[in-house]
Amino acid sequence: MNVMWRTLIVLLRARLRLRRDGLLPPQSVGTIRLTTLPTDIDFLGHMNNGRYASLFDLGRFDLLIRTGIWDAFAQRRWYAVVASSTITFRKSLGLWQRFEIESRLMGHDDKSVYLMHRAVVDGEVYTEMIVRARFLKRSGGIVTHEELFEAVGRPDDLPEIDPWVHDWAAASALPSTKAPAPSVWS
């Protein structure tokens, strides 16, 4: 339940920051500050590995609101889904530890948008997560990049996606929802 309260607080703060500071350029790094709570901790005394993805969602919400993408999506009844993600842990976050979540749009390919999230303490990266997201319409179907860029504009200065990101996306992909995907262990 505490992630629900954190979500509401992050959404409210993002709206306030948007009103106060205006829109962030899409290539900006969004930052929110959090503290590791007792409900985040596992039996080993550090942040549970499963909690990171939920907290990185908060960074993504903040970034989408402050860049105006959230409102553009809401008006068109679009939403984002995570197609794949990979997280790498470097150092543990302990109980009551203050940290920042940094979130940034990395770029896009012909099907997906890529984001990077980091848990950072005093400027040092503790954990990093790459996310490949797709955009869907509540009425059904996929939001094309043409529709996306018409709605939110296409940032001219987003960097090209590094080749390793394409390799990662291809290597981690499952078959499409229209193709068979039997659970067979070899």
Side-chain angles (χ1 to χ4, degrees):
M1 186 65 178
N2 84 71
V3 175
M4 193 63 104
W5 289 114
R6 282 175 163 169
T7 301
L8 293 173
I9 291 168
V10 165
L11 295 176
L12 177 62
R13 284 184 178 162
R15 288 277 176 210
L16 293 172
R17 289 171 79 184
L18 175 62
R19 279 191 211 127
R20 184 187 68 213
D21 303 332
L23 286 175
L24 280 180
Q27 71 279 11
S28 298
V29 175
T31 303
I32 61 171
R33 291 182 186 185
L34 296 174
T35 300
T36 308
L37 301 177
T39 51
D40 300 328
I41 301 299
D42 65 16
F43 290 114
L44 298 175
H46 59 250
M47 175 129 42
N48 179 289
N49 65 311
R51 182 65 81 184
Y52 283 90
S54 295
L55 297 180
F56 286 153
D57 280 347
L58 302 180
R60 191 162 44 255
F61 296 161
D62 174 78
L63 183 66
L64 293 176
I65 288 171
R66 294 178 56 220
T67 56
I69 296 171
W70 183 285
D71 287 340
F73 275 40
Q75 291 169 357
R76 291 162 180 80
R77 299 183 38 83
W78 297 345
Y79 61 100
V81 294
V82 172
S84 56
S85 64
T86 298
I87 190 164
T88 304
F89 301 97
R90 187 173 164 270
K91 285 187 171 185
S92 297
L93 291 170
L95 182 61
W96 304 119
Q97 188 165 8
R98 302 266 306 149
F99 64 100
E100 294 181 336
I101 292 177
E102 297 177 349
S103 302
R104 183 172 188 212
L105 292 166
M106 294 174 63
H108 66 90
D109 61 18
D110 59 331
K111 293 182 181 179
S112 304
V113 172
Y114 296 86
L115 299 100
M116 181 73 71
H117 299 289
R118 294 177 176 164
V120 177
V121 176
D122 296 326
E124 184 179 4
V125 176
Y126 275 46
T127 306
E128 187 172 78
M129 181 175 169
I130 183 172
V131 174
R132 183 172 64 94
R134 303 284 307 269
F135 301 113
L136 305 176
K137 300 174 184 177
R138 294 209 185 276
S139 60
I142 296 171
V143 176
T144 66
H145 280 353
E146 292 78 25
E147 292 171 307
L148 174 66
F149 295 140
E150 182 180 318
V152 300
R154 185 186 189 294
D156 296 326
D157 53 354
L158 275 182
E160 290 293 317
I161 295 292
D162 289 334
W164 73 265
V165 176
H166 293 290
D167 295 341
W168 164 77
S172 64
L174 290 172
S176 81
T177 57
K178 295 178 173 68
S183 177
V184 178
W185 297 90
S186 51

